[in-house]
Amino acid sequence: MKSEYDYFLSDKLNEECGVFGVYNVEDAAQLTYYGLHALQHRGQEGAGIAASDGEKIVREKGKGLVAEVFNIEKLEHLSGRTAMGHVRYSTTGESSIENVQPILIRSHTGDFTIAHNGNIVNAKELKMQLEAMGSIFYTTSDSEIIGHLIQRESGEFHEKIMKALPRLEGAFSFIIMTIDTMFVIRDKNGLRPLSMGKLEDGYVFSSESSAFEIIGATFMRSIQPAEVITIKKDSVISDQYTEHIQDKMCAMEYIYFSRPDTTINSLNVHTSRRKCGQILAKESPAEADIVIGVPDSSLSAAMGYSDYSGIPYEIGFVKSRYVGRTFIKPTQKQRERGVKMKLSAMPDVVRGKKIVLVDDSIVRGTTSKHIIKLLKDAGALEVHTRIASPALISPCFYGVDISDYNQLISTKYQADELAKFIKSESLAFLSQNGMHEGLGKNICMACFTGKYPTSIFSLLENIDK
Ligand code: SF4
């Protein structure tokens, strides 16, 4: 059972997963290792890399951070010019080693590996059908379903994939690798990001374009909704697995998950956050001496708030980079000390000041309450909280761990009541129109509106209201 402190630690949303692939470049597994490092913020529970040398596929995986899972011996074991990797945060399935990806499917027609970011919303129905037909699942992750669907189809491997994909509903960015071919796929709603880059004579693929810079690759473009890229030797073919397409990129990728140096669908994440901060200042002004952001994801929005309001931007917090992930301490006092090790207010900056505190979102409200207490303990006179996204009121079924209504404090409190709960002098959220103005119309906003871009099958029956 989770303690109050566990809930505090998990008050921020957790990222889904990250995928990375390299085709036809020397030391592909090492490059994938660096790529996964750049995607580490998307999942810290487990990591894996599979590599092909043209004759066989070898896979290494483990629980923990990328740097904990891999060492020189393991990377040397992963030889070849083609590799793919995955960092995992479990939004479905347990956090056991079996569920750490890439999934390796051994088949008499040829081995293949799968890395998946997203959630399949008709997973339960598909799994029941597949099991009734004799499929045996080795993991509890929904990502294995695509492997079974592919195996049950007839034809060449590419044809099997094209037949299997229309049966999946929900969010998926897949990299699938056989001994000599890489398939890179994005769902028809474009819910999760996936980008393509160029490196030397080969290609690279990543959940976030920011990972290209680290390995010296050049960003080419985003993979389009429903696009299937097939790379084999020098041939790069782009297909579409369905014509029923809508562009509904997850708004949370811009608001919170992705690195500021990532570009999704031609919109840079830092720029989009800054713009949302400007709109927030226009919609919900406050009288204050300084604007500060909660590190790291809210700093761009705080700059935007400062741009529009003219209130000086300041650094109000220092975040420790070196605190472990699971430093659960037994007593309340030790817990509070542990939390302070993660984030501390800067007394010389905030003392005697009226502050606009910009944050990206509020889930349970416990983090906001604590952060405001840090500021007031450090001498802040007033704290006016401004949230650079609308209130979260609905669960996500597409790979983000907002799993039930009870988790979301905005389903219980209006903004003024929530301000009292977190002990802030005032509180305002960015409006839904403001979010569209900042991020464009082609975004999923289901967790802010309750209007889902896909059917959600039996999933609503299973969540707490
Ligand atoms: S429901 Fe929210 S978190 Fe989930 S995909 Fe849509 S915008 Fe992203």
Side-chain angles (χ1 to χ4, degrees):
M1 205 176 140
K2 282 190 173 178
S3 68
E4 188 65 21
Y5 185 60
D6 294 328
Y7 279 117
F8 179 86
L9 285 179
S10 62
D11 188 32
K12 280 302 185 187
L13 296 176
N14 278 302
E15 296 84 347
E16 328 80 18
C17 293
V19 297
F20 196 85
V22 176
Y23 190 87
N24 192 27
V25 186
E26 202 176 336
D27 296 327
Q30 274 192 31
L31 294 170
T32 303
Y33 172 83
Y34 291 122
L36 293 183
H37 247 294
L39 299 178
Q40 186 75 82
H41 58 285
R42 298 182 70 88
Q44 295 103 43
E45 284 186 9
I49 298 176
S52 171
D53 60 5
E55 292 181 1
K56 62 181 183 317
I57 293 177
V58 176
R59 178 192 59 176
E60 294 280 358
K61 64 174 189 169
K63 289 176 81 171
L65 301 174
V66 177
E68 292 165 352
V69 172
F70 292 98
N71 53 30
I72 290 174
E73 290 77 40
K74 281 188 180 168
L75 286 174
E76 281 175 352
H77 188 216
L78 294 160
S79 59
R81 294 178 66 85
T82 298
M84 60 184 285
H86 188 264
V87 284
R88 173 172 171 81
Y89 172 79
S90 53
T91 50
T92 67
E94 298 143 23
S95 66
S96 62
I97 184 71
E98 290 76 33
N99 286 339
V100 177
Q101 301 186 18
I103 293 169
L104 172 59
I105 309 244
R106 301 270 184 214
S107 164
H108 66 281
T109 53
D111 299 347
F112 61 100
T113 48
I114 303 163
H116 173 208
N117 173 205
N119 265 16
I120 310 291
V121 292
N122 59 340
K124 191 175 156 198
E125 290 77 6
L126 286 172
K127 208 168 170 183
M128 279 165 62
Q129 289 166 19
L130 286 161
E131 282 179 338
M133 290 188 289
S135 294
I136 296 168
F137 282 79
Y138 295 98
T139 72
T140 55
S141 141
D142 63 348
S143 312
E144 196 184 339
I145 290 170
I146 180 69
H148 289 282
L149 288 174
I150 291 169
Q151 281 188 300
R152 292 204 159 266
E153 296 295 349
S154 57
E156 294 292 312
F157 199 79
H158 172 266
E159 198 184 337
K160 290 175 172 215
I161 289 182
M162 296 302 278
K163 285 180 187 166
L165 287 171
R167 298 194 58 195
L168 299 177
E169 290 293 341
F172 50 86
S173 286
F174 284 125
I175 299 182
I176 298 176
M177 182 179 80
T178 66
I179 273 175
D180 60 0
T181 310
M182 186 169 272
F183 302 88
V184 184
I185 301 156
R186 209 164 148 225
D187 70 74
K188 63 183 179 184
N189 305 299
L191 280 157
R192 302 262 75 91
L194 192 55
S195 292
M196 179 176 186
K198 186 89 181 93
L199 180 61
E200 298 164 15
D201 296 332
Y203 295 90
V204 287
F205 301 91
S206 174
S207 292
E208 292 186 32
S209 61
S210 50
F212 294 153
E213 177 78 13
I214 280 142
I215 58 162
T218 316
F219 171 69
M220 292 171 73
R221 66 177 178 87
S222 294
I223 311 300
Q224 296 304 302
E227 186 173 6
V228 179
I229 292 186
T230 307
I231 306 200
K232 186 171 184 175
K233 296 198 178 118
D234 293 334
S235 131
V236 182
I237 297 168
S238 167
D239 296 297
Q240 213 175 285
Y241 72 85
T242 175
E243 290 185 348
H244 304 288
I245 291 171
Q246 51 176 349
D247 208 347
K248 292 288 176 192
M249 167 57 60
C250 168
M252 272 294 171
E253 289 284 351
Y254 292 106
I255 297 162
Y256 176 59
F257 293 132
S258 295
R259 285 170 43 141
D261 50 345
T262 282
T263 294
I264 311 169
N265 294 349
S266 308
L267 181 58
N268 167 260
V269 169
H270 162 72
T271 310
S272 70
R273 287 179 187 164
R274 192 163 186 156
K275 190 166 174 198
C276 287
Q278 291 164 354
I279 299 162
L280 181 62
K282 189 166 125 194
E283 289 182 346
S284 301
E287 267 187 37
D289 303 309
I290 55 171
V291 179
I292 63 174
V294 180
D296 295 312
S297 49
S298 307
L299 301 181
S300 307
M303 283 176 202
Y305 197 99
S306 168
D307 293 340
Y308 187 87
S309 64
I311 303 170
Y313 171 75
E314 264 291 2
I315 293 174
F317 294 105
V318 177
K319 188 178 169 187
S320 172
R321 315 270 155 203
Y322 306 106
V323 178
R325 288 163 297 140
T326 53
F327 63 129
I328 295 171
K329 304 279 174 58
T331 68
Q332 185 61 28
K333 202 167 181 188
Q334 284 169 320
R335 284 171 186 165
E336 282 171 11
R337 202 176 294 139
V339 172
K340 276 192 178 159
M341 280 166 66
K342 277 197 133 181
L343 196 67
S344 33
M346 306 243 290
D348 289 342
V349 174
V350 305
R351 192 179 302 119
K353 300 275 175 38
K354 293 180 185 173
I355 293 169
V356 171
L357 172 70
V358 178
D359 204 350
D360 47 66
S361 55
I362 295 187
V363 184
R364 294 188 178 86
T366 44
T367 301
S368 307
K369 197 172 180 176
H370 175 77
I371 286 173
I372 290 161
K373 184 171 184 308
L374 283 181
L375 289 173
K376 293 204 169 163
D377 287 352
L381 285 182
E382 290 178 12
V383 178
H384 299 272
T385 307
R386 295 292 178 270
I387 305 298
S389 65
L392 282 166
I393 54 158
S394 280
C396 174
F397 300 107
Y398 307 124
V400 174
D401 73 336
I402 315 171
S403 55
D404 62 57
Y405 290 94
N406 285 329
Q407 204 185 4
L408 303 170
I409 196 150
S410 291
T411 60
K412 300 185 188 95
Y413 294 139
Q414 295 297 319
D416 53 342
E417 297 166 316
L418 185 47
K420 283 192 192 123
F421 174 76
I422 62 175
K423 298 193 166 51
S424 182
E425 271 61 35
S426 70
L427 168 70
F429 291 90
L430 184 65
S431 69
Q432 291 177 14
N433 283 341
M435 178 113 285
H436 278 305
E437 195 184 331
L439 304 181
K441 291 283 176 201
N442 293 333
I443 48 169
C444 172
M445 296 211 353
C447 49
F448 307 113
T449 62
K451 292 179 192 142
Y452 294 91
T454 71
S455 161
I456 42 179
F457 295 82
S458 54
L459 292 172
L460 261 184
E461 294 161 16
N462 302 328
I463 59 168
D464 293 337
K465 290 201 180 179

